[in-house]
Amino acid sequence: MFQKDFTPNEFGERRRRVLDAIGSEAVALIQGAEKESSHDLFRQTNDFYYLCGVETPHAYLLLDGRSKLCALFLPHQSPQRVENEGELLSADNADTARLLTGVDAVHGVEELSRFLDGVKLLFTPLRMAEGAMMSWDTLQAAQREVFSDPWDGRPDRMRWFVALLRQRCPATEIRDLAPILNELRFIKSPREAELLRMAGKLSALGVIEAMR
């Protein structure tokens, strides 16, 4: 149901640094990944996972610099989905989600809009979110191909999300959270460094076996 690579305290420290960076008058909102239309295993976006570790599709994380409170907004999971996919962190097990992640509150995703009322300054990543087997470079290249197609040209999910924010919160100033997240993610914690070394060793073993 929840990852075991990082402790709630480490996620909490990351969120605290974001709160310090955005200041006492702003709110940060991070959108999680959408559910895959294929049968692939769901993989959360990098920024969202970095701040809470939740592997639930269509989740949102709100960091309120005014109150210093952090809240998760999760979809509901029907009994049929639990039976078919296994139990995920959701609005239906909010106490468990709050305990595992260390956030202050967990709400249904349908409640998010009321928490945005009256927000004057909102930070959100103004970049496409990386998923499995993706990087910022590959995402940019793919989007350029879409924009250059005269029969396509549709906005990516990030641009659609920002457009909805501007439409539903017209009095709110929107700024880019990506530079703040980039600076935080650039310096690795001891646990992150340990996992990177482990991944490097596994990759090296795979290359050696392929050569053989």
Side-chain angles (χ1 to χ4, degrees), residues 9 33 81 127 136 160 166-167 169 189 195:
N9 288 339
R81 285 192 61 189
R127 64 179 176 197
W136 178 229
W160 178 251
R166 296 190 191 282
Q167 174 187 333
C169 309
S189 70
L195 290 173

Side-chain angles (χ1 to χ4, degrees), residues 7 30 70 140 184 188 212:
T7 65
I30 301 92
C70 304
Q140 282 186 310
L184 294 178
K188 306 303 182 186
R212 286 177 179 167

Side-chain angles (χ1 to χ4, degrees), residues 177-195:
L177 185 63
I180 293 173
L181 294 175
N182 289 346
E183 185 175 351
L184 294 178
R185 288 175 53 189
F186 183 74
I187 300 175
K188 306 303 182 186
S189 70
R191 178 56 178 160
E192 286 178 294
E194 179 185 354
L195 290 173

Side-chain angles (χ1 to χ4, degrees), residues 85-97:
E85 303 173 4
E87 189 174 12
L88 299 173
L89 292 184
S90 71
D92 303 302
N93 53 25
D95 289 340
T96 299

Side-chain angles (χ1 to χ4, degrees), residues 14 98 102 107:
R14 294 171 183 176
R98 184 172 52 81
H107 305 280

Side-chain angles (χ1 to χ4, degrees), residues 117-182:
D117 288 343
V119 173
K120 296 180 179 179
L121 178 58
L122 177 68
F123 283 83
T124 195
L126 300 182
R127 64 179 176 197
M128 297 171 63
E130 307 103 321
M133 303 299 290
M134 295 179 184
S135 69
W136 178 229
D137 291 340
T138 60
L139 287 172
Q140 282 186 310
Q143 193 58 47
R144 284 195 296 269
E145 292 289 334
V146 171
F147 286 155
S148 66
D149 182 349
W151 295 98
D152 195 340
R154 67 191 184 282
D156 56 63
R157 192 164 183 256
M158 178 275 292
R159 287 178 173 84
W160 178 251
F161 179 53
V162 173
L164 284 177
L165 286 173
R166 296 190 191 282
Q167 174 187 333
R168 297 175 183 179
C169 309
T172 302
E173 178 186 353
I174 296 177
R175 294 184 188 175
D176 191 5
L177 185 63
I180 293 173
L181 294 175
N182 289 346

Side-chain angles (χ1 to χ4, degrees), residues 1-3 6 11 14-15 44 48-56 89 101:
M1 186 186 298
F2 190 64
Q3 60 78 44
F6 301 101
F11 286 118
R14 294 171 183 176
R15 295 192 294 267
Q44 188 57 270
F48 195 89
Y49 185 90
Y50 178 78
L51 293 174
C52 65
V54 171
E55 292 276 6
T56 299
L89 292 184
T101 61

Side-chain angles (χ1 to χ4, degrees), residues 4 53 71 73 79 94 114 116 139 148 151 157 167-168 196-197 208:
K4 297 181 180 178
F73 296 84
R114 69 182 178 90
L116 299 177
L139 287 172
S148 66
W151 295 98
R157 192 164 183 256
Q167 174 187 333
R168 297 175 183 179
L196 286 169
R197 292 189 185 99
I208 292 171

